[in-house]
């Protein structure tokens, strides 16, 4: 799980250049409202504006608008309009992270989805969020980027059938609409924003603000999905937020004795279910719940520790190799995608590589949506210079990711791991390669074997000359001496072994 949002997309949301539009051009259909509600809310907002909200500080203004305007309009507005100031909900915090929106407009149609003991804020699942509202003290032109940031977060995790999301930002002198849409390739996003008003500001503000709260949610791009079965209930733990999915523990029929795992994805789950069954048959009893959700009918696993990872490299490699032999490359090999499963019946555990959502057939050429933090130099270079062009992924990329995953666990200085993570969050492809180059340069004198193996695999000529059988043999031999891969300083005898291994690959 989790390499921030979509693992190979840049999420540097600021300094965007949204396309300027008229408000009516942001909507796909003519804006239609319930005139009774429109007239009622228009009058309430008009009267509230006489309280001079511009003289209030930002927090007071937000609260006043919520309590003295929206709650006057609808006493039950709290079910739909969530005031997020200082809200500490688990899902909300993990979704928006450091920056949080002022208000979320929600449609909590799965309100009976959680167990009696659950305290999770499921109303903030992206599939429930209709729109975002931002209220500023004095709105500046560049503030629209912050709104677009929140909108992209929601759209990024929303089911792919949702094509766009629209939100508003206002200081109650002016108002601007922001829109984020999926591009035709389902990979990039399109940013649009309404122009500032230049005349009849108060009338324009009143009309736009009133329309926003009285139009149908579908006009913001919102789509209700098929409701989840009533017997499957999300319990009390958010197990993880990944690049494309959110995972919970769950109960069936309120049976607290057995917990299972429920994955809610932003993509149809058929592909991932197919891969699990192709690789493992019915071992894990995976059940499709609906188009974007599947149930892993097995107790939730635990993320593995560094020691467990390093002691089980051979098991992880066998799973990767098994996938390759079935013509599948994982493309997202990271420590957070490896879990330890417990079989309480047999009092035993197993290590499992999970999250096959980014996987592809060997030789697939297309948009890349796999890992960045452990991606091969070839892939990072392709992303750097081609910027989302078609990239051909091969088994050697999985092998490099395996080795880089080990490297990030054993490197003596934590700063390199943190810097790579930061470059990933910033979507800086060149920055990721630069950090790995720094590691190579700064530790070359120590001759760690893990760096030697990575350099060998990333040699440009080897991408085409190391055929799958030779590549697998090489990694087999490396893993047989996994203790050499897991220590920063090695004996000369071990270094000589790996030198000879490289020579022997091409002499046979």
């Amino acid at each position: 799980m989790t390499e921030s949002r979509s693992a190979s997309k840049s999420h540097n949301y600021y300094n965007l250049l949204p396309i300027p539009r008229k408000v009516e051009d942001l909507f796909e259909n003519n804006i239609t409202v319930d005139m009774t509600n429109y007239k009622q809310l228009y009058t309430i907002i008009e009267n509230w504006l006489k309280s001079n909200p511009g003289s209030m500080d930002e927090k007071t203004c937000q609260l006043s608008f919520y309590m003295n305007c929206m709650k006057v309009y609808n006493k039950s507005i709290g079910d739909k309009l969530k005031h997020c100031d200082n809200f500490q909900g688990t899902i909300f915090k993990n979704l928006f992270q450091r920056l949080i929106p002022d208000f979320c407009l929600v449609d909590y149609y799965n309100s009976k989805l959680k167990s009696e003991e659950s305290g999770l804020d499921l109303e903030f699942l992206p599939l429930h969020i209709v729109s975002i509202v931002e209220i500023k003290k004095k709105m500046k032109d560049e503030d629209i980027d912050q709104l677009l940031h929140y909108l992209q977060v929601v759209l990024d995790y929303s089911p792919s059938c949702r094509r766009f999301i629209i939100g508003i930002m206002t200081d109650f002198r002016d108002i601007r609409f922001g829109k984020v849409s999926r591009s035709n390739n389902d990979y990039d996003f399109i940013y649009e924003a309404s122009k500032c008003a230049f005349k009849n500001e108060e009338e324009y503000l009143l009309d736009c603000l009133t329309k926003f709260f009285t139009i149908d949610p579908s006009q913001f791009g919102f789509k209700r999905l098929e409701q989840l079965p009533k017997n499957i209930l999300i319990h009390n733990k958010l197990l993880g937020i990944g690049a494309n999915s959110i995972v919970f523990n769950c109960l069936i029929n309120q049976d607290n004795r057995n917990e299972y795992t429920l994955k809610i994805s932003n993509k149809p789950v058929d592909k991932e279910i197919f891969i699990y069954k192709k690789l493992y048959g019915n071992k894990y009893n995976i059940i499709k719940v609906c188009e974007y959700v599947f149930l892993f009918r097995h107790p939730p696993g635990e993320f593995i520790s560094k020691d467990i990872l390093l002691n089980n490299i051979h098991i992880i490699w066998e799973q990767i190799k098994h996938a390759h032999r079935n013509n599948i490359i994982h493309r997202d090999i990271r420590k957070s995608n490896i879990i330890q499963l417990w079989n309480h019946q047999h009092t035993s555990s197993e290590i499992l590589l999970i999250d096959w959502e980014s996987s592809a057939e060997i030789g697939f050429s297309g948009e890349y949506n796999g890992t960045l933090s452990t991606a091969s130099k070839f892939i990072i270079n392709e992303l750097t210079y081609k910027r989302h062009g078609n990239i051909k992924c091969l088994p050697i990329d999985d092998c490099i990711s395996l080795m880089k995953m080990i490297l990030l666990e054993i490197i003596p200085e934590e700063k390199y791991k943190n810097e790579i993570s930061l470059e990933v969050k910033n979507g800086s492809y060149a920055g990721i390669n630069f950090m790995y180059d720094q590691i190579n340069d700064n530790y070359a004198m120590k001759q760690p074997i893990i760096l030697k193996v990575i350099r060998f695999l990333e040699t440009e000529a080897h991408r085409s000359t190391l055929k799958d059988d030779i590549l697998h043999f090489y990694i087999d031999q490396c893993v047989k001496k996994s203790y050499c891969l897991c220590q920063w300083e090695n004996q000369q005898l071990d270094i000589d072994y790996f030198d000879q291994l490289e020579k022997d690959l091409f002499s046979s």
Side-chain angles (χ1 to χ4, degrees):
M1 298 297 298
T2 198
E3 188 162 76
S4 271
R5 319 268 164 248
S6 184
S8 60
K9 295 175 188 170
S10 168
H11 290 276
N12 182 10
Y13 297 96
Y14 298 98
N15 302 312
L16 299 172
L17 293 173
I19 303 166
R21 303 284 192 200
K22 294 180 180 179
V23 171
E24 57 268 27
D25 291 339
L26 293 173
F27 292 85
E28 295 195 344
N29 301 304
N30 292 332
I31 301 174
T32 56
V33 299
D34 181 312
M35 286 309 298
T36 301
N37 290 336
Y38 177 89
K39 290 175 182 178
Q40 180 189 0
L41 183 57
Y42 188 100
T43 302
I44 292 170
I45 296 175
E46 187 176 33
N47 290 333
W48 178 78
L49 286 173
K50 294 174 183 176
S51 66
N52 192 18
S55 65
M56 305 175 191
D57 65 77
E58 197 167 277
K59 298 290 185 184
T60 303
C61 182
Q62 292 169 8
L63 184 60
S64 177
F65 173 70
Y66 185 64
M67 298 297 296
N68 302 324
C69 186
M70 297 308 297
K71 282 215 164 187
V72 171
Y73 165 64
N74 180 355
K75 290 181 180 179
S76 301
I77 196 69
D79 295 335
K80 295 183 178 180
L81 184 65
K82 300 293 182 181
H83 186 203
C84 304
D85 184 42
N86 293 321
F87 184 68
Q88 299 296 312
T90 300
I91 296 172
F92 181 80
K93 287 195 301 181
N94 278 274
L95 184 66
F96 292 105
Q97 298 179 12
R98 292 171 299 167
L99 295 171
I100 59 172
D102 298 327
F103 294 89
C104 286
L105 197 62
V106 304
D107 179 2
Y108 190 14
Y109 60 93
N110 280 304
S111 60
K112 297 180 180 178
L113 184 63
K114 60 183 181 181
S115 68
E116 294 175 356
E117 297 86 358
S118 178
L120 289 173
D121 48 323
L122 298 184
E123 64 271 28
F124 288 104
L125 282 174
L127 57 85
H128 292 144
I129 297 178
V130 175
S131 184
I132 301 291
V133 179
E134 281 291 288
I135 294 176
K136 294 292 183 184
K137 169 72 174 174
K138 188 173 182 181
M139 194 166 65
K140 301 186 290 293
D141 192 55
E142 60 268 22
D143 287 338
I144 196 68
D145 288 353
Q146 188 174 346
L147 174 63
L148 294 173
H149 162 80
Y150 298 137
L151 295 176
Q152 182 175 333
V153 170
V154 175
L155 188 62
D156 222 354
Y157 281 107
S158 294
S160 56
C161 62
R162 183 172 192 172
R163 305 306 301 169
F164 66 92
I165 181 172
I166 295 174
I168 59 165
M169 175 176 284
T170 184
D171 57 6
F172 298 110
R173 287 181 289 270
D174 198 359
I175 186 169
R176 294 189 72 188
F177 286 71
K179 180 179 182 181
V180 178
S181 308
R182 300 186 197 273
S183 66
N184 290 335
N185 64 11
D186 262 346
Y187 184 85
D188 298 312
F189 292 96
I190 300 167
Y191 306 93
E192 300 168 277
S194 64
K195 303 171 185 176
C196 292
F198 296 106
K199 58 182 180 180
N200 300 322
E201 286 93 345
E202 185 173 343
E203 182 180 336
Y204 176 80
L205 169 69
L206 275 166
D207 179 59
C208 287
L209 199 55
T210 308
K211 281 180 177 174
F212 180 85
F213 288 106
T214 55
I215 64 175
D216 190 85
S218 63
Q219 297 196 270
F220 299 124
F222 182 77
K223 293 177 181 289
R224 277 192 173 197
L225 301 181
E226 174 187 352
Q227 285 189 287
L228 300 184
K230 293 180 180 179
N231 67 320
I232 298 178
L233 300 170
I234 291 175
H235 196 31
N236 55 8
K237 291 178 186 175
L238 171 66
L239 299 178
I241 293 186
N244 305 293
S245 59
I246 303 176
V247 182
F248 300 93
N249 68 336
C250 72
L251 306 177
I252 296 180
N253 297 322
Q254 289 282 11
D255 181 5
N256 289 355
R257 293 169 299 175
N258 295 298
E259 290 185 17
Y260 304 110
T261 305
L262 192 75
K263 180 171 181 176
I264 302 175
S265 178
N266 63 0
K267 298 177 182 177
V269 297
D270 298 280
K271 169 187 164 184
E272 191 166 10
I273 293 174
F274 172 79
I275 290 173
Y276 272 115
K277 291 189 174 181
K278 185 173 183 178
L279 297 179
Y280 303 109
N282 293 316
K283 180 178 180 180
Y284 299 110
N285 198 6
I286 294 173
I287 300 168
K288 179 179 178 180
V289 176
C290 63
E291 186 174 5
Y292 297 94
V293 182
F294 73 75
L295 176 69
F296 194 76
R297 198 156 183 164
H298 192 288
E302 298 175 355
F303 292 121
I304 60 173
S305 65
K306 171 184 173 180
D307 288 341
I308 291 176
L309 169 66
L310 299 181
N311 288 328
N312 288 279
I313 293 170
H314 61 293
I315 293 175
I316 299 164
W317 166 238
E318 286 301 320
Q319 292 177 21
I320 296 169
K321 187 166 61 172
H322 178 55
H324 291 176
R325 287 171 175 165
N326 281 276
N327 203 39
I328 299 167
I329 42 176
H330 188 278
R331 302 203 301 176
D332 199 12
I333 296 168
R334 294 176 284 118
K335 178 169 172 273
S336 54
N337 277 337
I338 301 169
I339 61 172
Q340 186 173 23
L341 291 174
W342 288 93
N343 187 323
H344 297 290
Q345 187 175 4
H346 298 98
T347 61
S348 61
S349 68
E350 61 178 303
I351 304 300
L352 183 66
L353 176 63
I354 61 169
D355 205 345
W356 295 84
E357 201 162 11
S358 298
S359 63
E361 289 187 356
I362 291 175
F364 167 80
S365 183
E367 302 285 357
Y368 180 76
N369 64 352
T371 178
L372 287 181
S373 59
T374 61
S376 67
K377 180 175 284 190
F378 170 83
I379 285 175
I380 297 296
N381 283 338
E382 290 289 292
L383 290 169
T384 301
Y385 300 113
K386 291 188 177 180
R387 302 299 296 187
H388 311 318
N390 289 344
I391 296 176
K392 186 175 183 179
C393 295
L394 299 172
I396 197 169
D397 296 310
D398 275 356
C399 297
I400 292 168
S401 288
L402 173 66
M403 296 302 163
K404 286 188 174 180
M405 176 180 66
I406 297 168
L407 169 65
L408 293 178
E409 290 305 306
I410 69 168
I411 191 166
E413 295 184 77
E414 191 75 13
K415 68 175 183 178
Y416 291 107
K417 190 174 180 178
N418 294 337
E419 284 294 329
I420 289 170
S421 179
L422 182 62
E423 299 294 356
V424 168
K425 288 180 180 178
N426 291 335
S428 173
Y429 305 131
I432 296 167
N433 268 348
F434 175 77
M435 292 311 305
Y436 277 108
D437 288 341
Q438 286 281 295
I439 294 170
N440 265 301
D441 293 344
N442 293 343
Y443 290 102
M445 295 299 293
K446 291 187 178 293
Q447 301 185 71
I449 286 174
I450 188 68
L451 286 182
K452 177 181 178 59
V453 171
I454 292 171
R455 282 196 301 269
F456 177 77
L457 291 171
E458 291 196 321
T459 301
E460 188 174 349
H462 294 167
R463 189 170 181 83
S464 57
T465 56
L466 282 178
K467 302 302 180 185
D468 292 355
D469 55 341
I470 300 175
L471 174 66
H472 287 170
F473 173 80
Y474 175 69
I475 302 299
D476 283 341
Q477 302 311 306
C478 292
V479 169
K480 282 181 181 178
K481 284 186 170 282
S482 60
Y483 69 89
C484 296
L485 303 175
C486 300
Q487 55 193 26
W488 206 240
E489 297 187 40
N490 299 101
Q491 299 293 323
Q492 187 61 47
L493 187 65
D494 292 324
I495 295 172
D496 292 343
Y497 168 86
F498 280 86
D499 282 339
Q500 191 61 46
L501 175 60
E502 292 173 11
K503 294 175 185 177
D504 290 345
L505 283 181
F506 299 105
S507 62
S508 56

